[in-house]
Amino acid sequence: MKRLFTLCIVHCALCICLAQGVDHARMNQFVDNLMAQMTLQEKLGQLNLPVTGDIITGTAVSGNVVDQIKAGKVGGLFNMKGVKNIRQLQEVAVKQSRLGIPLIFGMDVIHGYETVFPIPLALSMSWDMEAIRNSARIAAIEATADGICWTFSPMVDVCREPRWGRMSEGNGEDPFLGSAICRAMIEGYQGSDLTDKATMMSCVKHFALYGAPEAGRDYNTVDMSRVRMFNEYFPPYQAGVEAGAGSFMTSFNTIDYIPATGNRWLMTEVLRDRWGFDGFVVTDYTAISEMINHGMGDLQTVSALALNAGTDMDMVAEGFLGTLEKSLNEGKVNMAAIDQACRRILEAKYKLGLFDDPYRYLDDKRASKEIFTAEHRAAARRLATETFVLLQNKAGVLPLKRTGKIALVGPLANTRANMPGTWSVAATSDRYSTLLEAMQRATKGKAEVMYAKGCNVCYDAELEKNSTMFGREMRDERDPQAMRDEAVAVAQKCDVIVAAMGEPSEMSGESSSRSQLTILDAQRDLLEALLATGKPIVLLNFSGRATVMDWEVAHIPTILNVWFGGSEAADAICDVVFGDVSPSGRLTVTMPRNEGQIPIYYNHLNTGRPNPKWFTKFTTNYLDVPNDPLFPFGYGLSYTTFSYGALTLSGNQLSRNTLDATSQLTATVTVTNTGNREASEVVQLYIRDMVGSIARPVKELKGFERITLKPGESRKVSFTITPDLLKFYNADLVYDCEPGEFQLMVGPNSRDLQTQTFTLMN
Ligand code: BGC
């Protein structure tokens, strides 16, 4: 009876609220009313996000989770797929729990759903905000058609650490670009109305600094100055708050020696008090109980620590559910903190329209019409072609002609499950093409594609097993020499060799750190054997991180980095390899010459002894390797060439290169396509603050524009420079700009730039 009464109030409140967007006064009133009816255990239940693995694997609606839902001890569930499964559990919550509070259903919809887009690192290489926004939009349409209303994305951890496998899930090393992508993703997922059946709530993760683990080892300690946090690592998270993300996820690492999940400075002072975040914070998977290993105390202590820090929802650890009542009785937490957390979760459900209609995302007619559609797949294919980075193309081996015989070799050439890339939880890879299939399609009736695997991922079976988990095994038990010989024999019969090599998809992602980033031994040996045939080679490098390719760059004429391109990767690779589309991806991570250069990133500080030329004694350099990377941030070739005209500045009437608090400057450059193919270029703007109250980076990305030009076509590209663009956090963590001289640089990457100077007046 009471339950019905509650839902009744809900309906009335929402009729008005839905027409107007979220009306905070009504939402508060609604939540007040509901909370007034809730017991302590029911409130703690809302903070509980258990794992649903038992249900996903098909043992259906039984077991502990269902009993917990009935008892009002569950706030939401995650990573369960399909309207039918989700509806069953939503019905248990709505019909069989005392107050009938609906569950929130989350999932790691990271780069698409069944239509899988390229991994986030690859997406960033497109620098195409519109297409990235659209990828999130499509992900939201598909996921909500399948019952999901909350995604654990975007992942915006700035990362200069390619040993860390989760570099694959983020947007690379730059905070400015990372912020733009964060905004685009949130806009795509959430749209302008969260109650819309085809939008879902986003979750910015992993807050914070997860991308800077010591030694690149996953889950490891993070320690950095606050100036660095605020200027170089925090901006994308803050952009997430400003874009209206509904939730945040804590990270596993420590910050200032306190795990993020229990770090009050981070979760309350920075996220809420400084940035004004008003959504809810969920922990990462078992992050509360992991604080026991961090040495923060027993489960009761760490649960209280997390709640008092400002964490609202407990993913899997059941520390909140199991211990907060005791802590309340012992005065270790107070009722206001529990109420606050419960309120934030109920608000999220309200914003999603779940109280109005708990089955809002459970329309069983949508899935068959809206998931993996031709239109979505075409968008994924198009965007994938924008993410591939052409690193070198000596003698113009690419694009290939559709004639003669093409040898396709390598461990990634004929695998389906490895195409979508890590964290593609909803993928149905039996429907995706292998590169071999796509290449046969692309050349049908014109050229012959001959295939040989040539080698396994590596000689070490154990390493391969650990790198190909989740049903993506690909090991071939044949003798390595026999496999290599077969590939060489195939190559000898062909005009050109395409080598599909690199990492299998689970060699990056969570818990996939590497200490060596070179192409693995068996693949290198195969490359050497193929080189000996004297045939031209195109290396397609699959990877989820920056890899070390000094040997390949010295020996292989043509290298196209293809990352992991999603469900349509294979066709998209063919589009670029055969020249239907010119490559336009630009690196968003610096490519090191060797692992010893790590961390290597373009926006570093100067030392007191800059290095004029390698090797110069008593300047900052290594004895055995230059300082500069193999390929700089922003770099990427095309099948055409672009020329940049002179960079000009225009300002106010008095001066073309001075700026004050109220004025702005415009930097303009004309870019021309000087080749004979239509192609896209990413025009990049960098700024250097020459003198500051703290040391300032040698350059920072402050603008970019992706343009497409026909052969011979020119386009004027302009950037507006405002004082706002020059602000940074000083030693007191005050965000402001400082008067003085600045360099402004424009060009095709962070190395090849034209420079002008300007002055910011007092
Ligand atoms: C990952 C998160 C993910 C969560 C839920 C964790 O292991 O770190 O990124 O969202 O699992 O699947």
Side-chain angles (χ1 to χ4, degrees), residues 78-79 108 152 166 205-206 249 252 284-285 423 510:
F78 68 102
N79 285 357
D108 288 283
F152 301 144
R166 303 196 81 170
K205 71 186 190 186
H206 307 83
M249 186 186 290
F252 288 124
D284 203 345
Y285 202 104
W423 278 115
E510 189 168 349

Side-chain angles (χ1 to χ4, degrees), residues 5 14 29 97 128 135 186 258 276 330 357 417 432 442 456 460 557 636 661 761:
F5 171 69
L14 271 144
Q29 193 194 342
S97 73
D128 187 340
S135 76
I186 292 169
I258 301 174
E330 292 169 2
D357 178 5
Y432 310 153
N456 281 313
D460 180 350
M761 312 298 281

Side-chain angles (χ1 to χ4, degrees), residues 116-119 122 380 384 387-388 419-421 542 562-570 572:
V116 184
F117 285 83
I119 56 169
T387 67
F388 306 147
M419 294 296 105
F542 288 79
V562 295
W563 321 109
F564 291 96
S567 53
E568 314 308 313

Side-chain angles (χ1 to χ4, degrees), residues 29-47:
Q29 193 194 342
F30 171 78
V31 174
D32 285 346
N33 252 321
L34 182 54
M35 284 183 58
Q37 301 171 55
M38 292 172 77
T39 63
L40 173 62
Q41 273 305 318
E42 282 166 339
K43 288 177 182 171
L44 296 180
Q46 288 303 307
L47 319 189

Side-chain angles (χ1 to χ4, degrees), residues 646-660 663-669 716-722 744 756-759:
L647 170 64
T648 60
L649 270 184
S650 63
N652 52 45
Q653 284 164 331
L654 294 176
S655 156
R656 64 170 190 85
N657 59 357
T658 58
L659 180 68
D660 61 26
S663 61
Q664 58 184 45
L665 293 176
T666 307
T668 306
V669 70
K716 240 189 203 177
V717 176
S718 294
F719 298 101
T720 303
I721 321 299
T722 60
L744 180 147
Q756 290 275 2
T757 57
F758 68 90
T759 307

Side-chain angles (χ1 to χ4, degrees), residues 465-482:
K465 186 168 142 249
N466 294 339
S467 316
T468 53
M469 289 187 158
F470 310 124
R472 294 180 188 175
E473 295 83 5
M474 52 204 293
R475 193 147 183 97
D476 193 315
E477 294 307 332
R478 283 179 292 162
D479 169 53
Q481 185 64 46

